Amino acid sequence: MLTPRDALSVGLLGLAGRRGRALLTSVGIAIGIAAMVAVVGISASSQANLLAVLDDLGTNYLTVAPGQSLSGDEQPQLPTEATARLSLLDEVQAVSGVAQLDATVRRSDRMPATDTRGTVVLAAEPNLLATLNGNLAQGRWLDDAAEGYPTVVLGATAAERHGVSLAGGGQLVWLGEQWFSVVGVLQPLPLAPELDNAALIGTAVAADAFGFAGSPTTVYLRADPDDIETVREVAAVTADPDSPEEVEVTRPSDALEARAATETAFTALLLGLGGVALLVGGVGIANVMVISVLERRDEIGVRRALGATRRHIRTQFLVEAVAQAGVGGIAGMLLGAVITVGYALAMGWPIALPVEGLAGGVAAALVVGALAGLYPANRAARLDPAEAVRPA
């Protein structure tokens, strides 16, 4: 009687005599499993990062901005009272606006007027940072102490593009037709990415230097999470009662959620590619096992002559196929986990390795190995003992 332990011993002994071939065969399985585990792990880490961003910043934000003019004559504008009107809504917790100015910012007055690095100049209200739950990477915000003075806070991208860092001391930029002192640099704002490449100045300075009249180009508001849809429905008519149809109200968190859905679609595609690699690995195991059966006819004939049944032979070769796939599956799982951890650390994401994904990778390898080994195992079991030992 062939016990499970005996079957495992015989199968592993057969592989031990052909280590090089067995390891090379396992590589195909390892590549497929590594690809699948890495895809699942990286996708899970990305999802965890997006959820962490949403949990940290909240999904209770709305942006109110001019939409499209129905007449098509000119770009509509929000009324100067739009921010104040929105702040009167009971469900609104915080509201602040910015206004784009007809000005440019450069690193030096010696640089060409067109070399703005794509940075826009915005007039910002003092409570903007608090409304967006934003943080400073360096320096300070546009507080009351700087009100009326030529000071500017740069977004994360703007500071990088203009080569501005406050680590070595104060910095100046040429904004409009005068020097402005950079007092702060923002951290990236996931829910307001348009501010990342902006130069933000106070409303008082904007009024004095650029004639800012108070009409915002974008209003950011934070509302009670339970009432966010209610606020969304009335925000346009509240901001501009005369032309609510020309006001666009959006929810920034929708963009992050849409990105998560897009990444899920790509995950399915990449999993399919990993499955193809796994299938190729399974075909490789089947081919090697068929060749092994032909090479080991004498061994099979002797074992049958000594009393081994067809079931014993079938089990031996099936165990060999599953063992090769199992080795590849474990190696692929470890490699995929390493890739996931390395990528997540490089991107600054939380590391998420779903246990079901790791276990599923090894299980998939074993299933593929078993299916790939069925035909060679059955072929070996059908060999007649006398024919097997007969010289070719």
Side-chain angles (χ1 to χ4, degrees):
M1 178 179 178
L2 188 67
T3 65
R5 173 180 287 186
D6 293 335
L8 183 61
S9 299
V10 172
L12 293 179
L13 187 62
L15 291 179
R18 300 165 180 80
R19 294 189 189 91
R21 180 185 295 177
L23 289 176
L24 288 176
T25 306
S26 299
V27 168
I29 296 292
I31 292 174
I33 296 300
M36 297 178 75
V37 170
V39 166
V40 172
I42 291 174
S43 176
S45 297
S46 176
Q47 294 276 355
N49 180 65
L50 285 176
L51 291 175
V53 170
L54 290 175
D55 288 342
D56 183 41
L57 299 178
T59 58
N60 58 331
Y61 285 90
L62 295 175
T63 60
V64 180
Q68 296 296 323
S69 173
L70 297 182
S71 62
D73 294 336
E74 59 182 20
Q75 179 66 28
Q77 293 183 336
L78 292 176
T80 56
E81 306 85 4
T83 303
R85 288 172 179 163
L86 289 168
S87 67
L88 296 177
L89 294 175
D90 293 336
E91 299 85 356
V92 171
Q93 299 172 337
V95 59
S96 186
V98 297
Q100 184 168 346
L101 303 175
D102 185 16
T104 60
V105 59
R106 289 170 282 161
R107 190 67 177 90
S108 166
D109 58 340
R110 301 295 182 182
M111 298 178 69
T114 56
D115 193 3
T116 64
R117 312 292 168 92
T119 303
V120 297
V121 180
L122 301 176
E125 298 177 357
N127 64 337
L128 175 66
L129 195 62
T131 300
L132 292 174
N133 274 358
N135 293 296
L136 288 159
Q138 296 176 322
R140 69 178 194 272
W141 178 241
L142 301 168
D143 49 28
D144 294 337
E147 183 72 16
Y149 291 95
T151 57
V152 60
V153 172
L154 297 179
T157 304
E160 181 181 356
R161 290 182 178 178
H162 289 279
V164 173
S165 174
L166 301 183
Q171 299 283 313
L172 298 174
V173 292
W174 185 254
L175 198 156
E177 294 299 325
Q178 68 181 101
W179 291 104
F180 273 67
S181 175
V182 180
V183 295
V185 175
L186 296 176
Q187 291 184 2
L189 297 167
L191 292 183
E194 64 276 7
L195 300 183
D196 288 342
N197 195 25
L200 301 135
I201 65 175
T203 54
V205 172
D208 292 340
F210 306 105
F212 171 57
S215 176
T217 51
T218 304
V219 177
Y220 303 92
L221 65 86
R222 178 159 45 92
D224 188 292
D226 296 330
D227 299 314
I228 190 67
E229 289 302 325
T230 301
V231 175
R232 189 173 189 171
E233 292 174 0
V234 301
V237 70
T238 302
D240 190 353
D242 296 329
S243 303
E245 69 281 354
E246 295 183 350
V247 178
E248 183 180 19
V249 181
T250 57
R251 191 176 183 182
S253 60
D254 290 346
L256 289 179
E257 292 171 354
R259 196 175 88 188
T262 302
E263 290 182 354
T264 300
F266 277 109
T267 297
L269 173 62
L270 294 174
L271 278 176
L273 295 177
V276 171
L278 187 59
L279 178 62
V280 171
V283 172
I285 287 180
N287 288 335
V288 169
M289 292 302 298
V290 168
I291 295 173
S292 180
V293 169
L294 296 176
E295 292 177 344
R296 297 160 65 184
R297 290 169 59 91
D298 291 345
E299 174 192 336
I300 296 171
V302 170
R303 290 199 62 212
R304 288 296 310 279
L306 292 176
T309 65
R310 292 179 183 273
R311 183 176 65 83
H312 295 164
I313 300 299
R314 184 183 297 108
T315 301
Q316 174 189 349
F317 280 87
L318 195 58
V319 167
E320 290 185 18
V322 172
Q324 290 181 77
V327 170
I330 294 173
M333 177 193 68
L334 295 175
L335 178 60
V338 170
I339 292 173
T340 298
V341 171
Y343 191 86
L345 291 176
M347 297 296 293
W349 295 346
I351 299 172
L353 284 170
V355 176
E356 60 272 16
L358 300 177
V362 177
L366 294 176
V367 170
V368 168
L371 294 175
L374 280 177
Y375 172 72
N378 286 326
R379 180 168 180 171
R382 288 195 300 267
L383 283 177
D384 183 83
E387 291 294 331
V389 297
R390 180 179 297 171

